[in-house]
Amino acid sequence: MSSTLLAAGLLYLPLALAQIGVVKPLVQDCSPNISGVVCINKYASVMPYHFFRDPPNITADVTLGQTSVSNDTSWVRVGSADFLVFDQQKAMQILGPKPTYEYVFHVSGAVHEAPVYVPAQNKLYMSQLAPPAGYLPQLVVDLNANPPTLSEYLSDPPVYAPNGGTFHKGLIYWGASGGNNSIGGIEQRVGVITLDPLTNKTNVLLNNYYGYYFNTVDDLVVDARGDVWFTDPQYSWFNALTDTPPQLETACYRFRPSTGEVSIVDDTILQPNGIALSPDGKHVYISDTGMISGTISAAYPDIHGVSVNHTSKRTIYKFDLTDNGTHITGKRPIWLSQDWVPDGLKVARNGYVVTGSGKGVDVMDDQGHMIARVQTNYTVQNFAWTGKNWTDFWIMGQGGVSKVTWNLQGQELL
């Protein structure tokens, strides 16, 4: 056989193999008995030419399913599936035999954040960050009703723009990201505020760093000792939630309410966003959403708004706790978000890391290996586990609130 004929045969060999079924499609059923779930073969690490995915921009996110893959007819299934599976063995364990995804409530296109489940009430609290109503009131989902109901909620005194939330010893801890001279007739500055859901009373735990205003207090978590770990990016200024420009660098802190002391634990992240603790108390996870930033200028002190640089940070980092659990070290990246930025960050009971990521939620193990993805039709900001077994999973964001039922359990917050 001549070298020319041999080269021609090799050129058409992949096509011939695909036609006889030797080359697997990129997407296939995980199980014939489970609908809405598809498996991505080998992470789609080799796509047939020509393929292309547009980068995200300020007006549009581009999902994995919107990747143009012209020579694989199976790829269209990515866009219509509720669940994408990348590691079939691990994913089917957390999905269970009958996973479900349900779009429950249509909400406005505003950011919906800070979900906190209160077991004693069986209610899910969350915020809505939408002018011109002054970012008040918040929202509450009553899970006692069948079907669940969504209503507005206003605490006493009201809390301006909760952006992160958690539950600890009967209290909701909110990261209050808004700062203004008159919110509901009172002044509020960025900080940490608790809400007693049984009395409806709020209490300010922290509102300054040696006299300086915090920037945002975007997300927070409480450790077993009662210390509050929180992130402090600059998004409140970019989004016009504060009436003063940033006075501090972006950083992450640990706050001890019993003494009032605030300690900086990291200042290497461009825009620290989500923060979460591992169930064994040995690790802290923090997301950097520096891909979305803005302008702080002395020449233009009132300029607001955000910009997108898709080559900048959209990364989750893992740290080790040190110094008797008071500081962190060993920073290493474990996840580069494949869709938008990692907004909303929590760790499941089994140690898996869960993050909101564009129009969906990504699940990975504690080393950052992608396991599965829940897909939504709106941009996700956050999520929370509810229910007696902590397996009901509520997702919220710009335009929707959804519920997932699966086997992945959240950490029990009491």
Side-chain angles (χ1 to χ4, degrees):
M1 181 181 293
S2 70
S3 59
T4 302
L5 289 174
L6 178 61
L10 292 175
L11 177 64
Y12 290 100
L13 180 60
L15 178 59
L17 291 174
Q19 289 174 340
I20 64 175
V22 175
V23 178
K24 287 185 178 180
L26 293 177
V27 185
Q28 58 194 47
D29 287 326
C30 299
S31 169
N33 301 320
I34 305 178
S35 63
V37 182
V38 297
C39 280
I40 310 298
N41 184 38
K42 290 188 175 180
Y43 291 80
S45 55
V46 178
M47 292 181 172
Y49 296 111
H50 176 66
F51 63 89
F52 186 76
R53 182 177 181 180
D54 286 310
N57 58 66
I58 193 64
T59 60
D61 177 31
V62 181
T63 66
L64 179 61
Q66 291 174 305
T67 304
S68 172
V69 185
S70 57
N71 288 313
D72 189 304
T73 57
S74 72
W75 191 254
V76 69
R77 301 183 64 189
V78 174
S80 59
D82 293 327
F83 302 92
L84 303 181
V85 168
F86 296 88
D87 184 322
Q88 187 168 357
Q89 181 178 0
K90 291 180 178 179
M92 300 315 290
Q93 290 176 353
I94 65 173
L95 292 179
K98 294 182 179 180
T100 63
Y101 170 85
E102 178 186 4
Y103 182 85
V104 182
F105 300 114
H106 172 75
V107 293
S108 73
V111 169
H112 290 81
E113 265 280 11
V116 180
Y117 176 59
V118 178
Q121 294 181 315
N122 196 28
K123 292 181 178 181
L124 177 65
Y125 294 76
M126 72 181 78
S127 67
Q128 54 181 351
L129 308 184
Y135 302 85
L136 298 171
Q138 278 73 58
L139 301 174
V140 60
V141 179
D142 188 346
L143 302 175
N144 300 290
N146 187 17
T149 60
L150 179 68
S151 60
E152 292 187 336
Y153 173 83
L154 194 63
S155 60
D156 179 25
V159 179
Y160 179 44
N163 203 69
T166 191
F167 192 74
H168 181 70
K169 293 187 176 180
L171 297 176
I172 292 174
Y173 282 67
W174 264 333
S177 66
N180 198 290
N181 279 326
S182 180
I183 300 300
I186 62 172
E187 181 176 4
Q188 177 187 296
R189 291 298 158 189
V190 174
V192 178
I193 296 177
T194 60
L195 164 67
D196 185 337
L198 301 182
T199 65
N200 196 39
K201 295 295 184 180
T202 60
N203 181 47
V204 177
L205 294 185
L206 176 69
N207 64 8
N208 75 94
Y209 182 80
Y210 294 94
Y212 295 115
Y213 297 152
F214 287 106
N215 300 318
T216 297
V217 184
D218 191 284
D219 197 12
L220 49 78
V221 65
V222 182
D223 66 19
R225 189 173 355 201
D227 290 359
V228 182
W229 299 71
F230 65 91
T231 58
D232 194 38
Q234 296 164 334
Y235 292 124
S236 288
W237 176 250
F238 302 149
N239 295 319
L241 282 169
T242 60
D243 56 9
T244 55
Q247 297 181 315
L248 296 168
E249 64 173 334
T250 59
C252 304
Y253 299 89
R254 180 184 54 80
F255 165 55
R256 180 160 292 176
S258 61
T259 65
E261 183 186 17
V262 179
S263 302
I264 189 170
V265 295
D266 182 81
D267 66 350
T268 66
I269 294 178
L270 290 181
Q271 296 292 345
N273 195 319
I275 187 168
L277 285 167
S278 63
D280 60 11
K282 294 181 179 180
H283 305 287
V284 173
Y285 299 88
I286 303 173
S287 62
D288 187 345
T289 53
M291 186 184 88
I292 303 174
S293 193
T295 300
I296 303 170
S297 171
Y300 303 98
D302 295 323
I303 190 170
H304 299 282
V306 296
S307 59
V308 173
N309 176 4
H310 65 265
T311 64
S312 191
K313 299 296 184 181
R314 41 176 162 167
T315 311
I316 296 176
Y317 294 93
K318 183 177 183 178
F319 299 81
D320 304 316
L321 280 159
T322 187
D323 295 341
N324 195 28
T326 60
H327 285 86
I328 53 178
T329 188
K331 176 185 177 184
R332 63 270 196 192
I334 65 163
W335 179 243
L336 175 65
S337 181
Q338 59 80 30
D339 191 340
W340 199 234
V341 295
D343 193 1
L345 180 64
K346 292 179 173 63
V347 182
R349 191 176 302 188
N350 67 354
Y352 285 177
V353 180
V354 185
T355 184
S357 180
K359 292 183 177 178
V361 175
D362 291 333
V363 182
M364 65 209 77
D365 68 14
D366 61 351
Q367 297 177 27
H369 301 304
M370 180 70 149
I371 297 172
R373 176 173 174 82
V374 183
Q375 299 205 116
T376 64
N377 62 344
Y378 56 90
T379 300
V380 174
Q381 268 92 42
N382 221 316
F383 47 85
W385 280 274
T386 70
K388 292 181 179 179
N389 297 320
W390 298 85
T391 53
D392 291 341
F393 186 75
W394 288 81
I395 306 169
M396 60 284 307
Q398 292 172 264
V401 178
S402 305
K403 179 187 176 183
V404 171
T405 56
W406 55 3
N407 283 353
L408 186 62
Q409 290 181 292
Q411 296 188 53
E412 191 171 9
L413 303 178
L414 298 173

